[in-house]
Structures are given as C-alpha cells and as structure tokens.
Amino acid sequence: KKQGLRSPRASDAFAACSTRAKRSQITALRARRHMASGFGAFGGEGRCYKFFMNFKECMKNTDDKLTCVPARDDYYECLHHNKEFARMNAVAEQKKIAAAGGGGGH
C-alpha cells in the first residue's frame, strides 16, 4: 500500500482546521455531498429536478448568465413557491374584502 495517495476526508480537514470559517466551509461541503440527488422523497424523480436540469443546461451552454434568469426563477419557484403563496394570499385577501361587503368585483 503506497503512502500519500489517500484522498483527504472532510473529517481530517475538520480536525486540522482551527478557525470557525473553515469549519463552516467543511460543514457545507459535507452537506453538499448528500443534497440534490434528483430523487424525490418517496422514490422516483424529484418534483423540481426537471427545472434544475433545465437551469443547469442553460448555465452550461451560455456565456451570458442573464439569459438563464427565467430558468433560475422557475427552479426557485418550484423549490420555494414564493409566487404561488403570494397569489394565494392575494386571493384570500380579496375574498375577505368581498365577504365584508366592501369589494366591487367583476
């Protein structure tokens, strides 16, 4: 067995580092190894994997990163549902106004 050919492990680097910043970087590296596998919670493909692959292909095939903003926004919306929740809250607010008798709908 040859010495020095062993690949460094995150735990070796964690033990060797002394600063908080290095520790947080190593913790992030550990987490990154186990995230974004493409598998859903119950097997099969994850719900946002197609959006991620679309965004990844866009980033790979272009030099102008601004062309990928719509693909990135679709991926983030799939992950976090910010636009969906904003729309649901707006509809609920309009229903509350209409129920109070103050809405002049269509």
Side-chain angles (χ1 to χ4, degrees):
K1 197 172 188 181
K2 294 182 181 180
Q3 294 291 339
L5 295 180
R6 184 176 69 101
S7 63
R9 291 183 10 211
S11 59
D12 296 340
F14 186 74
C17 72
S18 60
T19 65
R20 184 176 292 210
K22 285 184 182 179
R23 286 182 181 167
S24 66
Q25 288 174 347
I26 290 170
T27 303
L29 287 173
R30 284 180 181 164
R32 200 174 303 146
R33 282 191 312 204
H34 301 291
M35 293 174 60
S37 64
F39 292 104
F42 302 103
E45 193 173 86
R47 71 169 191 260
C48 300
Y49 187 68
K50 290 178 184 176
F51 292 106
F52 171 72
M53 291 306 293
N54 186 21
F55 176 53
K56 180 180 163 186
E57 285 297 316
C58 181
M59 292 295 286
K60 185 170 69 171
N61 295 327
T62 186
D63 292 331
D64 180 21
K65 303 306 179 194
L66 293 178
T67 60
C68 298
V69 169
R72 183 198 64 191
D73 289 345
D74 289 343
Y75 176 54
Y76 285 171
E77 176 60 24
C78 181
L79 288 175
H80 305 293
H81 305 288
N82 292 333
K83 293 177 188 175
E84 179 184 356
F85 292 144
R87 175 78 175 140
M88 285 173 34
N89 290 337
V91 168
E93 186 67 30
Q94 289 297 319
K95 284 183 179 180
K96 188 163 60 169
I97 290 171
H106 299 117

